[in-house]
Amino acid sequence: MDQDPAPDHIAFTIDLTFEEARRRAEVVTALGPDWDPVAALRSEDEAYALLYSGLDAEQQRTYDMLVAAGVLPGGEPGRATSH
């Protein structure tokens, strides 16, 4: 039998590369002309430093253990967890 098993289906294709480029362009447009990526990254670093500042001794040990285990990123630039 040479019949199409699903004659009621319509072929649908989408160019995901084009759609991703369009999505990224919309995000940049939404951020506006005043968005400063360097300042945003600097603010993230400041927030990260503040988040883990002022830890007591036990909290610092736990933090150090989690960094050593790769669960949390360390304080180095470009930080990311190792897992």
Side-chain angles (χ1 to χ4, degrees):
M1 290 192 151
D2 292 314
Q3 273 189 330
D4 184 1
D8 59 334
H9 290 165
I10 298 171
F12 177 77
T13 61
I14 187 167
D15 181 352
L16 294 178
T17 303
F18 173 78
E19 290 301 320
E20 179 62 13
R22 185 193 60 74
R23 184 195 67 79
R24 288 181 184 197
E26 292 295 331
V27 167
V28 171
T29 299
L31 289 170
D34 298 328
W35 180 63
D36 181 356
V38 174
L41 289 174
R42 189 178 315 113
S43 294
E44 284 184 23
D45 286 342
E46 291 168 0
Y48 183 85
L50 184 59
L51 179 63
Y52 294 108
S53 67
L55 300 177
D56 65 29
E58 182 180 350
Q59 291 169 329
Q60 187 64 52
R61 279 192 303 277
T62 302
Y63 171 78
D64 293 340
M65 177 187 65
L66 293 172
V67 169
V71 175
L72 289 176
E76 64 278 350
R79 60 186 166 269
T81 60
S82 62
H83 302 293

